Structures are given as C-alpha cells and as structure tokens.
Amino acid sequence: MNTQTNTVDKNRSSSHLVTKRLPKFAPLFVAAGSIILAIVLTFVIAHGFNVPLAAFLAGVINLAIIVGWSWTVEGRRKAVDRVATTLVASAFALALIPLISLLWMSLEKGGPVLVENSTLLSRSMEGMKGIYDKEFAAGRGQLLGGFYHAIVGTLLITLFAALISIPVGIMCAVYLVEYSGGKKAGALGRSITFFVDVMTGIPSIVAGLFAFSLFSTVIGLVAPESLTAAKSGISAAVALSVLMIPVVVRNTEEILRLVPHDLREASYALGVPKWKTIIKIVLPTAISGILSGVTIAIARVIGETAPIMVTAGFAASVNWNVFSGWMSTLPTYIYDSVTRPTAPGSAAIASVDRAWAAALVLIIIVMVLNLGARIMAKVLAPKAGR
C-alpha cells in the first residue's frame, strides 16, 4: 500500500513539474505576435511605418509578455532566466540588423550593375573619359570601364601582407606560449606582449605613414633619384602587415593556450624534443583556430583604404609588379570613384554604380576567404580517435 502511495505521489510531482512550463514554441509565437502588434501600433502612433519605432515597440512588448506569462506559469526563477535570454537574443538581433542591411544594400545596388555589365570584372579604368559616363547617364551608351586592376591589386597586396604577417605572427605566438609563458616570462616576453597590445590599437593611417617613411628613407639612401618608387605594392603590403601581425599573434596565442598540456607532456615523456612537439603535436591540434585567426586578420586589412592611399596611391591600369609602380585596390577604387567621379554632375551615377559593384565584389572575396579557411581547417584538423 505504501509503495502504491509513493508511486502516485511521484507521478503527481513529476506531472506537476512538467505542467509548470511554457509551450516549446511559446517564445517564437510571442515574438511573432509582438512584431505584428508593434507594426500596428507604429501606424497608429506615427501615422506610417517607422522601422526604429517598430523595433523598439516589438522588443518591449515581447519582453513584457514573455516575462509576465513565464512568471505566472513557471515562477519567478524561470521568469528571470527568460529575461536574460530575451535580452541576449535581442542584442544578437540588433547586431544583425546593420550587417544584413549592408549586405542587402550591396546586393540591391551592386548586383544589377554586375549582372548587366559583366565586363566590369575584366576591364580597368585605363583610357576612361568623362564623355563615356555622360553618354551612359543619358541612356545612349553602356557602362564602360571596370575594376579588374583593383581586384588584382587587392589580391596581390593582401597576399604579400599575409606572407609577411602569418609566419611572424605565428612564431611570435609560439614563443610567447611555449618559451616565455607562465613563471618563465622574462623581459623579452613581457616586452613583446606590451608592443603587441600597443600595435593592436594603432590607427591604419599611422601604419601607412610608417611604411611610406620606411621605404622613402631606404630608397633615399640607396637611390635618391628614384624616391618616387616609395609608393608601391610592397610598401602597402608592409603597412597592412603592421595591422595584421598583432591580430595573428593574439588569436594564435589564445588558441595555443587551449591545447591541453597533457599532449605536450605525453610527447616529452616519449623523448620527443620540444621543437618537434610544437610542430607535430601543438600546431596541428590548433590549426583550425589558427586558420580562423588568420582569416580574421586578412578580413581586417583587406578593406583598408587609408594606408593604401598613402603607400600605393591610385592607378587606372593593371600593375602585376608589387615592387614597382602605383597600384589600386578595391577599397581605394571605391573611395576614388565616389569622391572623384570620372564625370561630374548627373553623370557621376556611372562612377557610383561601379563603386557599388566593386563593394559587392569585395564582400564576396571576404566571404570566399572565410569559406576557404573553414574548409581548410576542417580538412587539416586532427581526426578524432576511436
């Protein structure tokens, strides 16, 4: 009899606990209802649709309904938890708004231009005159010119910046973690950490001035008659490497610290030297995170404009030699197209269209780099054992 009573009590208790929960899809239903109600209230209050007001009202209504419902059904503790969850989800949604709007605007303004004028990807601005843009604006001609030279410049300068930054950044991070970490941190390790922190906050224009001054000084000592050669692709690559190195160091350092010490100790116990342990055990284990950090660093500099303007200038034709001559990149091409259109007045719409198309191509390049890095990280990541 006692056993049956205990079983009944347990069933009642478990049933009681299960019933004190909101339905699984309650947050989604409340969010959808809040958005609809907020839109209606926006039309009533503002006599028209207002996106900021609608977003604010939707957030407030959603928070009030979900918290009140949860407090009534689930109790105070779960209601407080739902407040935190709702605030975090709202912050995430707010962060997505500018990203999605930027991507949408680029697709809306640059996509049709690329589809209708695919030659933009294969032509440069060499020989372009304002009369062609005036004819295009008047509807009597096609959109001529292009930014093939800027794509080439972007890829070459970024490639050389990566070749400089990635080895230096990874080796610096290895030294900080493996040779100068913990109690063994000496003056050199502390100095490197300090300067990396300082370099992280350096304005990009300062990096460009540094690279230009460096090349001007060297060329002035070696060949004063060729001082104009200080502006080149390699000078821009050095400027970008100054911005890339601290990002690579910081990301690689954090990833290397996540590698379990048991792996190192097991390798040392087998008599494997430290340098080989780092190459064969530590770096392969952390390769996925390292590649992600490198991708972040490349994405950080591939859109820089100010240092490229100072170090590489502007060019209207294709230049494959990073060691000589001015070069254009997609960011500088966009800036130059908007601020100095080929034709003034209403004909400037041609330069603006080319700028939006170039912006979309730049976004696609960054997305491809991120996708490629993720694929490489997945392929190179150590396979899990049985």
Side-chain angles (χ1 to χ4, degrees), residues 281-313:
I281 304 296
V282 177
L283 291 178
T285 303
I287 188 64
S288 177
I290 292 174
L291 287 176
S292 298
V294 168
T295 306
I296 292 173
I298 292 175
R300 158 77 172 81
V301 302
I302 198 172
E304 287 292 345
T305 306
I308 308 298
M309 292 168 55
V310 175
T311 53

Side-chain angles (χ1 to χ4, degrees), residues 73-303:
V73 177
E74 299 174 318
R76 175 182 174 277
R77 185 175 182 181
K78 191 65 178 177
V80 173
D81 179 72
R82 288 193 181 275
V83 170
T85 303
T86 304
L87 291 177
V88 171
S90 301
F92 174 72
L94 287 175
L96 284 180
I97 290 174
L99 298 178
I100 295 176
S101 62
L102 175 63
L103 182 60
W104 174 258
M105 188 176 294
S106 300
L107 287 171
E108 183 184 22
K109 294 182 176 293
V113 177
L114 277 180
V115 172
E116 296 171 5
N117 306 276
S118 57
T119 55
L120 291 174
L121 299 172
S122 58
R123 293 179 178 176
S124 66
M125 294 297 289
E126 187 175 11
M128 269 297 298
K129 298 178 181 178
I131 185 65
Y132 302 137
D133 284 355
K134 291 180 179 179
E135 291 179 355
F136 168 76
R140 296 192 299 269
Q142 296 181 344
L143 182 63
L144 301 179
F147 43 83
Y148 173 67
H149 62 300
I151 296 175
V152 172
T154 298
L155 296 178
L156 287 177
I157 291 175
T158 306
L159 173 63
F160 276 83
L163 292 176
I164 297 171
S165 306
I166 294 173
V168 174
I170 291 178
M171 287 190 288
C172 181
V174 168
Y175 174 79
L176 291 175
V177 175
E178 303 294 335
Y179 293 96
S180 183
K183 297 180 180 179
K184 297 184 295 181
L188 180 58
R190 291 193 297 270
S191 300
I192 293 175
T193 302
F194 172 75
F195 284 114
V196 167
D197 291 338
V198 172
M199 289 176 64
T200 304
I202 288 180
S204 58
I205 187 67
V206 176
L209 290 172
F210 162 76
F212 179 74
S213 300
L214 175 64
F215 277 81
S216 297
T217 303
V218 173
I219 293 175
L221 294 175
V222 177
E225 67 280 0
S226 304
L227 196 59
T228 55
K231 278 196 172 186
S232 61
I234 190 64
S235 177
V238 170
L240 295 185
S241 68
V242 173
L243 302 174
M244 278 187 67
I245 288 175
V247 180
V248 175
V249 172
R250 272 286 164 256
N251 283 279
T252 306
E253 184 181 0
E254 294 300 324
I255 294 300
L256 291 179
R257 293 189 190 279
L258 296 178
V259 177
H261 285 285
D262 295 344
L263 296 177
R264 299 178 176 88
E265 293 171 357
S267 180
Y268 299 151
L270 295 174
V272 180
K274 187 168 187 174
W275 66 270
K276 188 173 287 188
T277 299
I278 295 171
I279 294 175
K280 297 289 187 179
I281 304 296
V282 177
L283 291 178
T285 303
I287 188 64
S288 177
I290 292 174
L291 287 176
S292 298
V294 168
T295 306
I296 292 173
I298 292 175
R300 158 77 172 81
V301 302
I302 198 172

